[in-house]
Amino acid sequence: MPRGMTLISSVAALAVAATLSLVWINLWQQQQQLQRMQQWQHALLQLKQAQRAFFKQQQRFALNQDELLSAGLLPHRLSFPETAEWRFQPQQHVLLMQTEVALAAPRLLLGDAGNPPAYNWQPPTLTVKVIGYVN
């Protein structure tokens, strides 16, 4: 085989290997994000169910996760990656749970590099409504 063909074959093989590596890394990252989202959703479901159970027992909502732990309604303190601490705002038979969600995307800073940014993107606030049912 001529020397030039060997070089072309080697470069082509390296290009294919690099492409396959990038595809594998991308799939792995997507799988990790999906798994993190599923864990987050499961923890939120547990928190909502614990609040409803607490309401049935106490006729009020818990003001924090510690109350739910003390009542034996949560096995451990629930973790919500990329969020601030949940704030509970009870209103009779409705509980508003709010937290700030920090997205994985980089913060958007608009403005000149030498000047302070004209606009600072802030993470959105998520509000979850939990309804307590009276027997």
Side-chain angles (χ1 to χ4, degrees):
M1 184 180 286
R3 187 169 167 86
M5 292 301 284
T6 304
L7 180 60
I8 291 173
S9 298
S10 298
V11 169
L14 285 173
V16 168
T19 301
L20 290 175
S21 295
L22 288 174
V23 167
W24 183 86
I25 288 170
N26 190 22
L27 287 174
W28 183 79
Q29 288 174 337
Q30 287 178 355
Q31 178 65 28
Q32 294 299 312
Q33 289 173 348
L34 178 63
Q35 187 177 23
R36 195 174 325 133
M37 180 177 283
Q38 288 172 339
Q39 290 170 345
W40 202 96
Q41 288 173 337
H42 180 69
L44 180 58
L45 179 63
Q46 282 183 295
L47 185 58
K48 287 169 57 176
Q49 289 173 339
Q51 280 286 11
R52 284 193 181 116
F54 190 90
F55 188 88
K56 283 183 182 179
Q57 291 176 359
Q58 307 283 331
Q59 297 302 305
R60 69 176 182 88
F61 290 106
L63 299 177
N64 53 43
Q65 283 196 44
D66 295 334
E67 280 191 86
L68 297 171
L69 286 167
S70 298
L73 297 171
L74 288 179
H76 53 80
R77 190 165 187 74
L78 299 176
S79 171
F80 293 89
E82 299 182 31
T83 62
E85 185 72 22
W86 283 98
R87 295 179 306 278
F88 299 140
Q89 299 172 354
Q91 302 170 348
Q92 292 189 343
H93 301 303
V94 175
L95 172 70
L96 296 181
M97 301 190 313
Q98 292 184 326
T99 189
E100 291 172 4
V101 180
L103 301 176
R107 295 175 61 188
L108 301 176
L109 300 176
L110 304 177
D112 296 333
N115 298 327
Y119 176 75
N120 185 4
W121 180 83
Q122 296 294 321
T125 299
L126 172 68
T127 301
V128 177
K129 187 175 185 179
V130 180
I131 299 175
Y133 298 96
V134 181
N135 291 337

